[in-house]
Amino acid sequence: MNEFYNKDIISIKDFSKDQLEKIFTSTDKVMKLNPSERREICKGKILGYLFYEPSTRTRLSFDSAMASIGGTSLGISDISSSSTQKGESLSDTVRMMSIYSDVLILRHPLDGSSRFASEVSEKPVINAGSGTEEHPSQAIQDLFTIKKEKKRIDGLKIGIVGDLKYGRTVYSLLSGLGNFDVDVNLISPESLRIRSDSTYEIKKKLDFTETPDIEDCLDDLDVLYVTRIQKERFPDEEEYLKVKGSYVVGLDMIKRMKEDSIILHPLPRIDEISSDVDKTKNARYFEQAEYGKHVRAALLGMILNENGL
Ligand code: NCD
């Protein structure tokens, strides 16, 4: 039996390097299929989604991935129009959705929400963002993008810049990178440094340095992963205003980077990468979004087929 069959995807920490490599291989395989072969993978299967926070890419890429492998999706993307407004618990909503679907995708503002959902759901649950904690499918997509665009992950110098305190994609990415031999530079304002309580495990597997000054490492980086300041997670707007616009990647910065370096971003972008960077060969964030669709198709295919892809 395929080891991913019926598996929940809650944390990137639940995956070994070998398992990540298997997902990459399956993603490559899915990308090579023609549309009619692809539609056989999850023919007749249903993806159910519950989004308690806004989303464009994650929900639509799961939707689009599922359609491309022959399945359908249903769910709630605006919780204010659901029975949650009448007071229904997360547990009951998840249980209901797991009756209507074969696999469930959950985004929720609370840490631990996806783990909890997987305990009450009859069907496998994929965490599509839980509080400030994790976003594992984004990290798998990020690692896959690095592998495709740089042809390797081991040996790279990777800078992660922006909101390292509240950005959940950062924690999942760091845990994923812990499986590889990479040098990581974390670049953030002092008030948005990585949370030390959440990096205890990561530190055992990964070496990283921290700096507020992007110039300290810019010319040495192979990958610059840019993140959005997570305005909605600040307890105090004043604090947000102090760090808003701290880093803006523009053409001037690109010129100081290695010629073959790449710029990634989980998106949405606000003002942290200027739009004139989009046309440079270093910008790979739209490719990254496209890979996300294929990674999710592979994940769904492996979770829903006993014999794998
Ligand atoms: C991210 C998220 O929701 O954590 N978005 C995404 O899924 N690509 C990043 C963000 O919102 O900044």
Side-chain angles (χ1 to χ4, degrees), residues 94-301:
V94 165
R95 205 165 290 170
M96 290 315 300
M97 278 303 284
S98 76
I99 293 171
Y100 303 139
S101 45
D102 299 298
V103 56
L104 223 120
I105 316 294
L106 176 72
R107 171 169 289 188
H108 194 281
L110 289 181
D111 291 7
S113 48
S114 281
R115 187 76 69 195
F116 169 72
S118 70
E119 285 160 11
V120 295
S121 172
E122 291 174 22
K123 305 287 167 48
V125 172
I126 303 179
N127 176 2
S130 49
T132 57
E133 174 193 48
E134 281 243 26
H135 192 348
S137 67
Q138 177 71 46
I140 298 172
Q141 156 186 357
D142 298 339
L143 294 169
F144 183 75
T145 305
I146 295 173
K147 182 143 194 227
K148 293 302 273 187
E149 297 294 322
K150 296 299 298 174
K151 310 289 175 236
R152 64 193 168 113
I153 299 178
D154 287 318
L156 295 179
K157 291 195 188 318
I158 299 177
I160 305 180
V161 61
D163 186 346
L164 310 184
K165 182 177 184 181
Y166 297 118
R168 55 192 167 204
T169 67
V170 173
Y171 292 88
S172 290
L173 179 60
L174 286 175
S175 295
L177 286 171
N179 293 294
F180 299 89
D181 177 21
V182 288
D183 278 347
V184 174
N185 292 96
L186 300 179
I187 309 137
S188 71
E190 190 61 32
S191 65
L192 295 182
R193 281 173 62 183
I194 198 97
R195 299 189 304 267
S196 55
D197 56 331
S198 305
T199 40
Y200 183 72
E201 292 297 319
I202 294 171
K203 277 189 185 135
K204 291 187 198 159
K205 291 171 76 187
L206 190 77
D207 283 333
F208 57 79
T209 59
E210 292 182 77
T211 175
D213 188 358
I214 197 164
E215 299 298 334
D216 284 352
C217 54
L218 193 67
D219 57 356
D220 213 21
L221 297 175
D222 299 298
V223 179
L224 179 61
Y225 186 92
V226 187
T227 65
R228 172 180 72 90
I229 308 277
Q230 309 276 303
K231 182 179 180 203
E232 69 279 21
R233 305 211 191 272
F234 280 66
D236 180 348
E237 180 154 5
E238 280 298 308
E239 291 304 309
Y240 166 70
L241 293 173
K242 282 185 201 160
V243 289
K244 181 177 181 281
S246 293
Y247 305 95
V248 179
V249 178
L251 291 179
D252 52 327
M253 260 192 211
I254 302 280
K255 278 192 202 113
R256 294 201 293 284
M257 295 182 72
K258 283 188 190 169
E259 229 186 292
D260 63 349
S261 60
I262 60 169
I263 313 288
L264 303 182
H265 192 308
L267 302 175
R269 148 182 66 179
I270 309 304
D271 53 9
E272 55 280 358
I273 303 179
S274 69
S275 57
D276 48 10
V277 171
D278 297 0
K279 58 180 183 305
T280 66
K281 62 177 180 358
N282 311 74
R284 300 295 160 87
Y285 27 93
F286 293 116
E287 285 82 353
Q288 182 185 2
E290 189 166 355
Y291 287 130
K293 174 181 150 175
H294 301 298
V295 165
R296 289 179 172 115
L299 281 175
L300 291 169

